[in-house]
Amino acid sequence: YLSLILLSNSCRFGALSNRPHSTGPIYITIADLPREQRLLQVNVICLAITPGPSEPTTAQLNFVLEPTVDDVRLLKKGA
C-alpha cells in the first residue's frame, strides 16, 4: 500500500499597487518530499490562478477545484 500526501495551498497578494485588488495561485505540493524539495518549481502543481479583484467565493473555488478532486479520487482508487 502506497500513500501520497498532497498539500493544497492558496497565496493571495496585491498585484496592483495602491489598488484594492487581490490575486493569487491555488497550488498543490507533495508532502512526502523532503522539506527542502517540496516548494521547488518542478514539484509544485498550479491548479488555478484566481484573478481578483476580490477573493473567490466558496462556490467558485468548488467549481474550479472539482476536476482536481475527481482526479485525486481516481488516483486513490488506482484507476
Side-chain angles (χ1 to χ4, degrees), residues 7-69:
L7 297 174
S8 175
N9 300 291
S10 177
C11 181
R12 303 197 56 83
F13 59 91
L16 304 171
S17 62
N18 300 325
R19 289 190 168 181
H21 187 93
S22 181
T23 190
I26 301 170
Y27 59 95
I28 58 175
T29 59
I30 302 169
D32 299 322
L33 292 173
R35 185 177 293 245
E36 62 274 5
Q37 293 180 10
R38 215 174 283 166
L39 292 176
L40 294 177
Q41 185 177 1
V42 69
N43 297 325
V44 175
I45 302 165
C46 183
L47 303 176
I49 297 175
T50 56
S54 59
E55 294 187 14
T57 65
T58 301
Q60 290 169 329
L61 284 175
N62 287 341
F63 179 78
V64 168
L65 296 176
E66 185 176 6
T68 301
V69 172

